[in-house]
Amino acid sequence: MIMIDVEGGTKSMRLLTEHATFMTLQRLLPRKRTLNIEIELKDALKEGAWGTAYNATTDRQQFHWIELHNKPPSLYNHIQTLCHESVHISQAVKKHWHHRGNRSLWKGKDHTNTPYRQQPWEVEAFKLEKTLAKMYLKDIGLTIKRAKELDVRQFKLDKHLGLDWWSSYA
């Protein structure tokens, strides 16, 4: 079972984040049945960052964390950032991207000194984030234009989708 625990932000923002993460990971990892992700909606992240993803692996288990800024400029920005970070989770699950000590590896090749925008995991995440965000917004009946106008902290997914949406998600 895919377990997603979201902390911080408003109740409606947590619900939206959980739903969007689940739906996005279903697209990225359609065969994955067990996955645990902790997401924290925070006021302060690294300078200039709207989100970040962390992964750790032990002999028996993978751990995944996402941190997202809890005051993004719009619903669209939140969803796009979440999609970007979800791509990083899928890369780790597929074992394409991982860390060994202080080294960052992509499919076994060391990219520790590769500039940020040229790192293959970032190239892939930037390539997919907009497509995934557009797909998710379409799933919930919103256009990109409308999502850019909405404040994520006040958007009510349950009211937007109706009362029965949860049964198809759970």
Side-chain angles (χ1 to χ4, degrees):
M1 172 179 243
I2 295 178
M3 301 293 294
I4 302 165
D5 181 37
V6 183
E7 296 180 5
T10 64
K11 182 179 179 181
S12 60
M13 195 173 177
R14 288 190 301 272
L15 183 63
L16 172 70
T17 301
E18 181 180 349
H19 186 257
T21 304
F22 181 84
M23 298 299 286
T24 300
L25 287 171
Q26 286 289 302
R27 282 193 166 92
L28 292 168
L29 300 165
R31 293 188 182 109
K32 190 70 176 166
R33 295 292 170 242
T34 57
L35 190 62
N36 291 312
I37 302 171
E38 292 186 27
I39 301 174
E40 188 174 358
L41 304 170
K42 298 175 70 164
D43 192 27
L45 294 176
K46 282 193 306 188
E47 186 176 322
W50 288 106
T52 190
Y54 303 96
N55 303 285
T57 304
T58 65
D59 291 340
R60 299 178 191 205
Q61 198 171 2
Q62 285 187 325
F63 300 93
H64 309 282
W65 301 270
I66 295 175
E67 292 179 351
L68 297 171
H69 198 290
N70 68 358
K71 295 176 185 161
S74 69
L75 171 65
Y76 178 75
N77 181 268
H78 181 72
I79 297 301
Q80 181 181 351
T81 303
L82 178 60
C83 289
H84 180 102
E85 301 309 334
S86 294
V87 170
H88 290 321
I89 299 299
S90 75
Q91 293 165 341
V93 168
K94 293 174 185 176
K95 298 185 174 155
H96 292 174
W97 175 48
H98 67 279
H99 298 282
R100 188 174 301 141
N102 291 333
R103 296 178 12 205
S104 296
L105 305 171
W106 177 256
K107 298 180 180 179
K109 185 176 177 190
D110 189 348
H111 283 275
T112 305
N113 296 319
T114 302
Y116 174 75
R117 283 292 196 151
Q118 295 172 13
Q119 295 166 342
W121 53 91
E122 292 299 342
V123 169
E124 183 178 69
F126 280 113
K127 179 181 174 185
L128 292 174
E129 68 182 26
K130 290 181 177 92
T131 301
L132 291 166
K134 183 177 181 180
M135 291 168 80
Y136 177 72
L137 292 169
K138 183 178 178 185
D139 286 347
I140 65 170
L142 288 175
T143 64
I144 291 173
K145 181 180 181 206
R146 182 68 180 127
K148 287 180 177 180
E149 299 167 350
L150 295 171
D151 182 338
V152 68
R153 290 167 288 163
Q154 296 173 354
F155 179 75
K156 307 278 189 224
L157 181 66
D158 52 344
K159 290 183 181 173
H160 187 75
L161 292 181
L163 297 175
D164 62 343
W165 74 272
W166 188 260
S167 62
S168 63
Y169 163 66

